[in-house]
Amino acid sequence: MTSLNDDYSLLAPGPVNLHPEVRKALALPMIHHRTPEFDKILKRVLTNIKTVFQTEQDVYLLTSTGSGGMEALLINVLSPGDHIIAIVSGKFGERWAEMAKTYGADVSIIHVPWGEAVQVSEVESLLKKRPNTRAVLCQACETSTAVAHPIQELALLIKNYSETLFLVDGITALGAYPLPMDAWGIDGLVAGSQKAFMLPTGMAFISFSQKAWKFIETAQCPRFYFDVRKEKAANKNGETFFSSNVAVIRALDVVLEMIQAQGLEKLFQTIQRRAEFVRHFGQKLGFTLYSKSPSDSVTALQVPPQMDGQKIRLHLEQVHKITIMGGQDQAKGKIIRIGHMGYIQDQEQIRLIECLGHTLRHFDPDFMSLEHISNITQDAKNYLEQNP
């Protein structure tokens, strides 16, 4: 593994490059989580994070990975035996469905081919057959395939069912592109610290609609650490219920202030620009788009025939000190996945394209010439200069 120096570039779907101001915040001396100094930080964070969720509802901070937040969404609204519909289009949809089964839910799965988005009509058809459905589960972005699902359209459909909640895994979406919780009618939303919030892994953020709170009070799934009722009561007193993740919350405070200063729209535009750049120049290099509904937060590129995505990814990391991700399960070796969240400078984008070209040439010298790589790299520089 390469040493982490200034030439190292983390362009995975998460974790991501940390902003220099975040790194400064993480290096500060530790303070206790039950002090007036931290109370001020926590109060500010709990207010400002609502801007990213685009909600008037409370947002809760959990010291866990995003998967813990996914579990928290489930157990706070479900009772054993409840029927749910799980949209499964990749590894993380599979994980959420398995969580629900573990807690005794009666799970109906809509299997979506990898690389495709769910059809709203298919969800509508199943809801008509099972109007007693307690919740529909869907990833905003299925990270393993880089697919963006039609969350707004699904939310509009599910609003018609007063006893059905729409729970959304926004871990690889929230803060990267529009996902307004209140305006769209999302009932439960989870985000992760290591994605668009450009923080280290280790925190999940969740919020529930007023509609969901009716079920939270009566849900029968076992819950202790992830019992949102305890967190709500503690937050009202200016604390977290369990020990606070002081270092990450303090860094989150910095990130939220930066987002407030530039505005969500500007942040979305920046990430979209990166995504469009990678999609455009990835195809110029000979890759094809894997997703039929591409997400702006991460791009999946299908590797050229006769090449191995795992070997491309490993070579890029070992030789060029750029970390991206490969495919999982049925997509293993067939795709590479490049993230667009976090602190990414234009020079990193250009270097990525140049090094990808050299990596392809390493595995097949006849695939493209050095001159062709040089021309594409220059085109990439010009593109970013012309599209600031």
Side-chain angles (χ1 to χ4, degrees):
M1 178 66 187
T2 58
S3 60
L4 301 185
N5 57 34
D6 290 340
D7 294 327
Y8 174 79
S9 185
L10 180 56
L11 299 177
V16 300
N17 285 332
L18 304 182
H19 192 283
E21 293 302 317
V22 169
R23 293 164 69 178
K24 286 181 186 177
L26 292 170
L28 291 171
M30 182 53 58
I31 59 174
H32 199 278
H33 60 280
R34 306 291 190 217
T35 59
E37 181 181 357
F38 183 71
D39 289 348
K40 291 178 184 177
I41 295 169
L42 180 64
K43 181 179 180 181
R44 208 161 45 233
V45 165
L46 289 174
T47 298
N48 289 343
I49 198 170
K50 293 182 181 182
T51 300
V52 186
F53 276 71
Q54 295 179 263
T55 184
E56 295 297 320
Q57 302 304 310
D58 292 330
V59 178
Y60 305 96
L61 315 178
L62 306 178
T63 299
S64 77
T65 63
S67 294
M70 292 164 68
E71 183 165 322
L73 285 192
L74 292 180
I75 63 176
N76 279 287
V77 300
L78 294 183
S79 298
D82 278 350
H83 179 253
I84 72 164
I85 294 171
I87 296 165
V88 175
S89 62
K91 290 298 295 180
F92 294 94
E94 289 175 3
R95 179 179 298 178
W96 219 3
E98 285 302 312
M99 284 184 191
K101 290 177 183 177
T102 298
Y103 282 97
D106 173 20
V107 181
S108 293
I109 295 177
I110 295 178
H111 290 283
V112 181
W114 281 41
E116 296 183 15
V118 67
Q119 297 295 316
V120 177
S121 58
E122 194 169 357
V123 180
E124 182 176 24
S125 176
L126 192 50
L127 277 172
K128 286 179 178 177
K129 294 176 184 176
R130 301 292 295 270
N132 65 328
T133 296
R134 173 64 69 241
V136 176
L137 314 181
C138 187
Q139 274 61 41
C141 168
E142 173 50 68
T143 316
S144 61
T145 63
V147 164
H149 286 292
I151 299 302
Q152 184 176 12
E153 293 83 353
L154 288 168
L156 190 62
L157 165 67
I158 296 164
K159 274 183 183 179
N160 297 321
Y161 295 82
S162 61
E163 300 298 301
T164 303
L165 302 175
F166 187 29
L167 306 184
V168 175
D169 165 9
I171 294 170
T172 312
L174 192 70
Y177 58 84
L179 199 65
M181 181 174 170
D182 289 358
W184 287 2
I186 297 169
D187 296 306
L189 183 60
V190 55
S193 58
Q194 76 278 20
K195 305 279 186 167
F197 288 90
M198 54 185 162
L199 298 167
T201 304
M203 291 203 71
F205 317 124
I206 62 171
S207 186
F208 293 96
S209 68
Q210 289 183 337
K211 179 181 176 183
W213 272 98
K214 179 177 72 173
F215 300 99
I216 288 171
E217 299 298 343
T218 59
Q220 297 299 309
C221 275
R223 45 186 159 155
F224 186 83
Y225 183 76
F226 289 137
D227 190 338
V228 74
R229 296 168 299 182
K230 296 175 183 176
E231 200 63 36
K232 182 177 184 178
N235 286 179
K236 282 185 177 179
N237 293 325
E239 301 176 334
T240 56
F241 186 73
F242 295 98
S243 298
S244 304
N245 191 331
V246 171
V248 177
I249 292 174
R250 191 161 50 184
L252 174 61
D253 186 33
V254 172
V255 171
L256 293 174
E257 288 188 347
M258 288 192 290
I259 292 175
Q260 296 272 46
Q262 69 173 316
L264 271 179
E265 287 306 313
K266 177 62 176 175
L267 177 61
F268 295 157
Q269 289 168 10
T270 299
I271 293 173
Q272 184 182 52
R273 175 177 176 263
R274 297 171 188 161
E276 290 175 346
F277 173 87
V278 168
R279 291 195 287 257
H280 179 74
F281 286 97
Q283 291 178 92
K284 275 186 171 290
L285 287 171
F287 295 93
T288 55
L289 290 181
Y290 180 70
S291 170
K292 295 180 181 177
S293 176
S295 170
D296 282 343
S297 54
V298 53
T299 294
L301 296 174
Q302 193 159 311
V303 303
Q306 312 307 317
M307 290 198 186
D308 186 334
Q310 295 299 104
K311 291 180 179 179
I312 290 172
R313 184 229 152 186
L314 189 61
H315 183 86
L316 199 64
E317 185 168 81
Q318 291 180 333
V319 176
H320 299 289
K321 295 188 281 189
I322 299 173
T323 296
I324 61 173
M325 286 290 108
Q328 299 169 283
D329 278 8
Q330 60 185 272
K332 189 171 184 178
K334 298 177 182 178
I335 65 172
I336 57 171
R337 293 177 296 136
I338 300 166
H340 312 305
M341 300 167 288
Y343 183 68
I344 302 173
Q345 299 171 293
D346 281 0
Q347 188 56 42
E348 285 181 276
Q349 296 274 87
I350 296 166
R351 186 166 169 266
L352 168 69
I353 297 303
E354 181 178 24
C355 293
L356 267 176
H358 285 292
T359 298
L360 294 174
R361 180 173 165 77
H362 167 79
F363 289 109
D364 184 357
D366 296 326
F367 187 76
M368 69 176 63
S369 67
L370 291 173
E371 182 182 8
H372 189 52
I373 295 171
S374 178
N375 289 339
I376 291 176
T377 303
Q378 186 58 51
D379 286 347
K381 292 177 183 177
N382 295 339
Y383 178 95
L384 291 177
E385 288 175 0
Q386 294 164 10
N387 298 277

